[in-house]
Amino acid sequence: MSIRLAIGQFRELTEEKLRFAAQTGVAGIQMNNPILPGDTRWEVEDIRPLVDKIKAFGLVFEAIENVPVQFYNKAMLGLPGRDEQIENYCHTIRAVARAGIPVLGYHFTPNSVWTTDRTTTTRGGAKARSFDMGKVTANIDNAEVLKSFLPVNLGLANALPLHTGLQLAVSVEQMWENYTYFINAVLPVAEEEGIRLALHPDDPPVESLGGVARIFNSPANFMRAHEIAGGSPAWALDLCLGCCSEMPGGRANVVTMIEHFAPLGAIAYVHFRDVQGTVPNFVECFIGDGNFDPAEAMALLARNGFDGFIIDDHVPAMDDDSAWNHRGRAHAIGYMQGLLRMGEFAKALG
């Protein structure tokens, strides 16, 4: 199987989204934290109709990314009740796999993605997400302002830990212990079911936010996680190139992550986006305007044996765009299609 494109990052599966995929020539679908019944876990009978609906359109359900954070927040934080949550997470893994979906993406960032501005101006007046650590530091004792930096669509707000002040409530060592406990419990289930668990980087990839340490903020830490997993075929990456580009060093992290993990077959899928700048301050941007060369990244993926799917992930909002940014996504899809076709043509020429 070769590199292919998908659309995603929506919670509700509508016929309009399926038509958009077909109209843009994209064959795959990914959903992020889909709206499904269940307060603690998902059931196969609720997931399978989504698979059937996608299949009826002649498309493929490539992956689900993220369950509600309250499904496993205690597992991420090492709190009482984590064993029950892990048991339910294993149930969800089985449900996703038995519904016919080969990848379940996840993060291990207890208080999730932080954004300090959602309307920063980028090329041509388009609006983009940005992060400025200075704004976090300036409001380190203001819980209400800090809450405004948190996401609203990845789970219940009260499941996202938020501590004011500079002292860590959850240390780096605790986060590694929690991750090791979690992954050692869920990987055997994923292996049995033939599904891959795809780990997403921290966004933003800083040392800590809201009093909670972040551990998936450097290539070296992903290599450590791969070692903890013992090279399991069920352990994989949801390789967000944008998050890698946000890390200190920018482009170099993108190259390192691809060249290390793609030959291992450890990249399940890719978020193909970029930013301008690195932590502590960055702004999301159109493909081609950021820290890395998208043609180089696509060539590296192909050369190193990546054969999964790619989605755009976040895109700037263009004039008169929709809430899901149809215009921005159409631009990103066309750009990626061009890169893929040019790669195929160059390969054919020898």
Side-chain angles (χ1 to χ4, degrees), residues 307-342:
D307 63 353
F309 72 93
I310 296 176
I311 64 169
D312 46 32
D313 191 30
H314 308 164
V315 296
M318 301 173 72
D319 288 356
D320 298 321
D321 223 334
S322 67
W324 185 63
N325 297 346
H326 284 72
R327 292 187 175 194
R329 294 186 189 280
H331 167 269
I333 290 166
Y335 199 120
M336 292 186 290
Q337 286 171 326
L339 290 176
L340 286 172
R341 182 67 190 107
M342 198 64 208

Side-chain angles (χ1 to χ4, degrees), residues 39 142 163 182 209 314-315:
D39 295 327
N142 190 326
H163 304 272
F182 172 79
L209 284 171
H314 308 164
V315 296

Side-chain angles (χ1 to χ4, degrees), residues 202-226:
D202 293 327
D203 190 7
V206 293
E207 295 300 316
S208 66
L209 284 171
V212 180
R214 298 188 160 213
I215 57 175
F216 292 115
N217 52 14
S218 71
N221 284 0
F222 283 97
M223 295 173 194
R224 177 177 175 179
H226 186 244

Side-chain angles (χ1 to χ4, degrees), residues 11 33-34 38-39 42 66-73 154-156:
R11 302 189 64 202
N33 188 25
D39 295 327
W42 290 336
N66 293 326
V67 300
V69 69
Q70 66 269 18
F71 278 21
Y72 71 123
N73 61 314
L154 291 178
L156 298 177

